[in-house]
Amino acid sequence: MSPSAFLSEKDVFLNQTFNTRDEMFDFLAEKTVQRGIATDKEEVKEKLVARELEGTTGMMDGFAIPHAKSSNINKASLIIVKNENGIAWDSLDGKPITFVIGLFIPEHQKGTAHLQLLSSVAKMLMIPAVIDQLKAADSQAEIVSIINQKLVENSEEDSESLAYAGV
């Protein structure tokens, strides 16, 4: 799948009202199975929780990037959740989380795909204009467009860096 079509509107959930990180993880795990991304909801949730125990995935400005790697995940995927309520998350800036970008990576791709996708999403969230656009977005199509565009830009930059490095 090309980066320009990596995320679809079916992967974006707006106006959610979760109150806890546990509720959010349960929802994300359930959606991975419903969307055909994974086969075992409980294992995906366990992987999300285990990763969080290694260190917070709560970033800055209300964003979190929880992620799971598992053999029951069959394709690298993102699930986006825009939550109405701020969720306590132990974020880097101490602010509650309202925008979740869940990453789901097959075990056999954990080195390359996982790091590239995580890097691209993290780079995207370092750009104030992108943060503002995502927070202001009120449709699935708008969020999909912003994220897919940034993933394409980041993958092009990564390719240029590798070519420059002689790889």
Side-chain angles (χ1 to χ4, degrees):
M1 178 180 287
S2 72
S4 62
F6 189 77
L7 184 67
S8 81
E9 291 182 30
K10 293 178 182 174
D11 302 317
V12 179
F13 301 89
L14 304 177
N15 307 312
Q16 301 301 306
T17 56
F18 301 110
N19 294 307
T20 67
R21 190 170 51 194
D22 189 63
E23 288 176 359
M24 180 63 73
F25 286 171
D26 198 53
F27 179 81
L28 290 170
E30 181 178 316
K31 291 302 174 190
T32 63
V33 172
Q34 287 178 0
R35 298 279 304 121
I37 295 166
T39 56
D40 185 336
K41 173 188 167 185
E42 292 308 315
E43 184 183 348
V44 171
K45 183 175 179 185
E46 287 171 16
K47 297 287 186 175
L48 288 167
V49 170
R51 170 55 191 86
E52 200 67 33
L53 291 173
E54 294 174 16
T56 188
T57 59
M59 307 308 283
M60 309 280 280
D61 300 308
F63 286 82
I65 313 174
H67 42 286
K69 298 171 286 200
S70 171
S71 58
N72 92 77
I73 295 171
N74 54 47
K75 61 182 177 180
S77 304
L78 295 176
I79 293 180
I80 310 298
V81 182
K82 200 167 180 185
N83 206 55
E84 297 293 316
N85 311 324
I87 298 173
W89 203 288
D90 191 28
S91 60
L92 297 177
D93 62 3
K95 293 181 180 175
I97 299 302
T98 55
F99 203 107
V100 173
I101 303 174
L103 277 67
F104 302 93
I105 307 294
E107 187 71 34
H108 67 277
Q109 292 181 343
K110 71 179 182 182
T112 54
H114 175 245
L115 293 176
Q116 288 173 342
L117 191 54
L118 186 56
S119 171
S120 290
V121 171
K123 282 182 194 175
M124 181 175 65
L125 295 180
M126 292 170 60
I127 304 168
V130 173
I131 291 170
D132 293 342
Q133 289 171 353
L134 288 171
K135 284 182 172 182
D138 57 8
S139 74
Q140 293 165 306
E142 200 175 352
I143 290 171
V144 166
S145 174
I146 294 164
I147 290 177
N148 282 339
Q149 179 184 350
K150 289 300 166 194
L151 289 177
V152 167
E153 288 173 11
N154 285 338
S155 70
E156 288 170 356
E157 287 173 15
D158 290 346
S159 295
E160 288 171 13
S161 295
L162 290 173
Y164 180 76
V167 177

